[in-house]
Amino acid sequence: MQERVEDRIVSPQPLWLRTAPVLFLLFWSAGFPVSKIGIQYASPFTFLVLRYALALLVLLPLILWLRPAFPKRPVAWLHVAVVGVCIQSVYFGMCYAALALGASAGVVALVTSLQPMLVGVLAPMLVREKIGAKGWVGLALGFCGAVVTILGYGETGHISVLGVLCAFGALFGMTGGTLYEKRFGTGMHPVASNTVQYAVALVTMLPFALLDLRVDVTVPFVAAMGYLVIANSLVAVSLYIAMLRFGRASQVSALFYLVPPISGLMGWGLLDEAMPLLAWAGMAVAGLGVALVRGQRKTA
């Protein structure tokens, strides 16, 4: 008797993959208020270079212990390096530059939260993902929720033209890295992949850091740097790359709609920044949008 597709037993997702979206959102969202603390004690690019250098120091013993396989083909090295430049150098570098040039955190968050919409537009052409009506409604709701959240904080009144341009650069950097990883990802071990990415980011960001070397080593600076190296640079980025490899780019990118409201909640706790009622409403709308996008059925 021929086996029907409906009767096949589908293996459940591993626990780490099912919890990855929650863990990623927590670790990634906390990076914004923590970075706001750390950047008070160092110039933006100096802070980034130190962050990448320390991340490589943490990865070195892991490489010696785990001995992960590095790619043998030069093209595989190139693919990983491109993702590293897009996410680590362009995205983080441009975000920090936007803040340094006077753009408010709300404006930067608003611009970079356009990423799911941009991925949704480009994914059908570049990685052959189909997004149905339910997915587009979810993307629109997520974006509206992000806008409402930021407006609730009243942070959009301060505009820096150069800062906004840098924020758009960060948006295109993360979008490019997302789609490039989805199409050309090598499946490299996360320890090996992170090592290559941070080495490339360190080399590309060092010249900018040398233009303004400034750091004041204090307890808050050390605490912020420690968190960003372990939780943000290593754990969160590894989870993001893993979700891209096992899921759809549009679904993974939709998580970024929840970053501004969750960062606001964490900023409330860490920086004593009040969470306005309108921001709570925006967070609820964004959450509904993400649920709709991630609830789509996968299309072959």
Side-chain angles (χ1 to χ4, degrees):
M1 185 175 179
Q2 187 175 3
E3 182 184 23
R4 295 185 305 168
V5 175
E6 292 84 355
D7 295 333
R8 294 177 185 173
I9 299 176
V10 180
S11 301
Q13 289 183 331
L15 179 61
W16 72 266
L17 188 56
R18 283 179 286 168
T19 58
V22 176
L23 294 175
F24 168 76
L25 278 172
L26 291 176
F27 290 140
W28 190 269
S29 299
F32 286 92
V34 173
S35 294
K36 189 174 181 179
I37 295 172
I39 206 173
Q40 298 175 12
Y41 303 96
S43 60
F45 297 134
T46 301
F47 191 84
L48 274 179
V49 165
L50 289 174
R51 174 177 169 177
Y52 297 149
L54 290 172
L56 288 172
L57 288 178
V58 173
L59 287 168
L60 181 59
L62 291 178
I63 293 173
L64 297 176
W65 178 37
L66 298 174
R67 298 185 180 278
F70 283 85
K72 297 180 179 179
R73 297 182 303 161
V75 67
W77 285 88
L78 177 63
H79 290 327
V80 179
V82 170
V83 175
V85 169
C86 289
I87 295 178
Q88 302 301 334
S89 301
V90 178
Y91 174 75
F92 282 110
M94 287 293 185
C95 279
Y96 279 53
L99 294 172
L101 288 169
S104 68
V107 171
V108 176
L110 174 59
V111 173
T112 54
S113 71
L114 288 169
Q115 187 219 349
M117 192 68 72
L118 192 57
V119 169
V121 171
L122 297 176
M125 297 180 289
L126 299 180
V127 294
R128 298 179 182 179
E129 288 185 0
K130 293 183 179 180
I131 301 176
K134 183 179 179 182
W136 283 112
V137 171
L139 288 171
L141 282 175
F143 175 67
C144 291
V147 172
V148 170
T149 300
I150 294 168
L151 290 177
Y153 281 103
E155 294 181 348
T156 56
H158 184 68
I159 299 293
S160 165
V161 176
L162 288 178
V164 171
L165 289 177
C166 286
F168 272 102
L171 165 66
F172 288 112
M174 179 59 79
T175 302
T178 296
L179 295 174
Y180 197 95
E181 169 62 32
K182 186 61 184 176
R183 182 159 186 176
F184 300 107
T186 61
M188 190 189 305
H189 191 283
V191 172
S193 176
N194 279 327
T195 301
V196 176
Q197 289 189 28
Y198 289 125
V200 171
L202 178 62
V203 171
T204 54
M205 295 305 299
L206 184 58
F208 298 97
L210 292 176
L211 295 176
D212 182 21
L213 280 175
R214 177 175 55 84
V215 61
D216 181 16
V217 180
T218 62
V219 173
F221 172 83
V222 172
M225 183 64 73
Y227 176 86
L228 291 171
V229 168
I230 302 298
N232 204 256
S233 292
L234 298 179
V235 179
V237 172
S238 296
L239 289 172
Y240 183 68
I241 298 298
M243 288 189 295
L244 284 176
R245 291 175 181 173
F246 290 96
R248 301 175 65 178
S250 57
Q251 291 177 320
V252 177
S253 293
L255 293 172
F256 280 88
Y257 281 142
L258 289 178
V259 171
I262 294 177
S263 294
L265 277 173
M266 293 180 172
W268 184 19
L270 293 174
L271 303 171
D272 197 25
E273 296 177 346
M275 187 78 171
L277 182 61
L278 187 59
W280 286 98
M283 183 169 60
V285 174
L288 176 61
V290 172
L292 287 175
V293 176
R294 294 189 63 81
Q296 291 184 108
R297 292 184 177 181
K298 290 188 176 182
T299 305

